[in-house]
Amino acid sequence: MKNKNLILSLLLLLLGLLVAIAPYSFAHVCELGEKIMKCHWTARAELFTGLGIALFALLSLFVKADGFALGLDLAIIFNGLGVILYPTLLIGVCGMKKMHCHAVAQPTLIVFGILILVIAAADFAGRSFKKN
């Protein structure tokens, strides 16, 4: 069970870092110009949220108490929802469908968010239902 939790925590750590760097690298958003686009604010929110997920995942590598680890999983799940909601409902991206932020960054962040939700929920379920 410990190896499974280790692997899931490392995956969440990696995904959190990917969420943080994606809008500034391979799934880049619009550059700052005279007008600041919505995708700029989405990228900033994703940076903070991704780093939070990575921090929570890093903490879960070292925590021994299952109750604390469950709380970290819940925090990761909540932040994973934010990863999905920032580019879709809360902030959004540029309206033009051909823009890189709309065509690449938004779907990338949605996929990362879904993966974070699934992995964190699996870790939560594994810790919740394990036999004492």
Side-chain angles (χ1 to χ4, degrees), residues 18-129:
L18 284 172
V19 165
I21 66 167
Y24 297 100
S25 57
F26 60 91
H28 64 85
V29 297
C30 301
E31 293 182 19
L32 286 177
E34 287 183 27
K35 182 178 180 189
I36 298 176
M37 307 299 280
K38 290 194 303 185
C39 59
H40 168 75
W41 301 114
T42 295
R44 284 189 169 190
E46 295 290 7
L47 174 66
F48 181 77
T49 305
L51 290 176
I53 290 169
L55 176 65
F56 294 144
L58 186 64
L59 285 173
S60 70
L61 288 171
F62 299 106
V63 75
K64 301 221 186 300
D66 279 334
F68 190 73
L70 288 172
L72 290 171
D73 283 335
L74 287 175
I76 292 171
I77 289 169
F78 184 74
N79 281 288
L81 285 172
V83 170
I84 296 169
L85 292 176
Y86 289 136
T88 56
L89 296 174
L90 296 178
I91 301 171
V93 293
C94 299
M96 293 178 55
K97 295 187 188 300
K98 291 184 180 182
M99 298 293 288
H100 194 267
C101 58
H102 192 89
V104 177
Q106 184 182 40
T108 300
L109 292 169
I110 291 169
V111 169
F112 286 163
I114 291 169
L115 289 172
I116 289 167
L117 289 176
V118 169
I119 293 169
D123 193 38
F124 183 85
R127 291 180 192 268
S128 295
F129 301 118

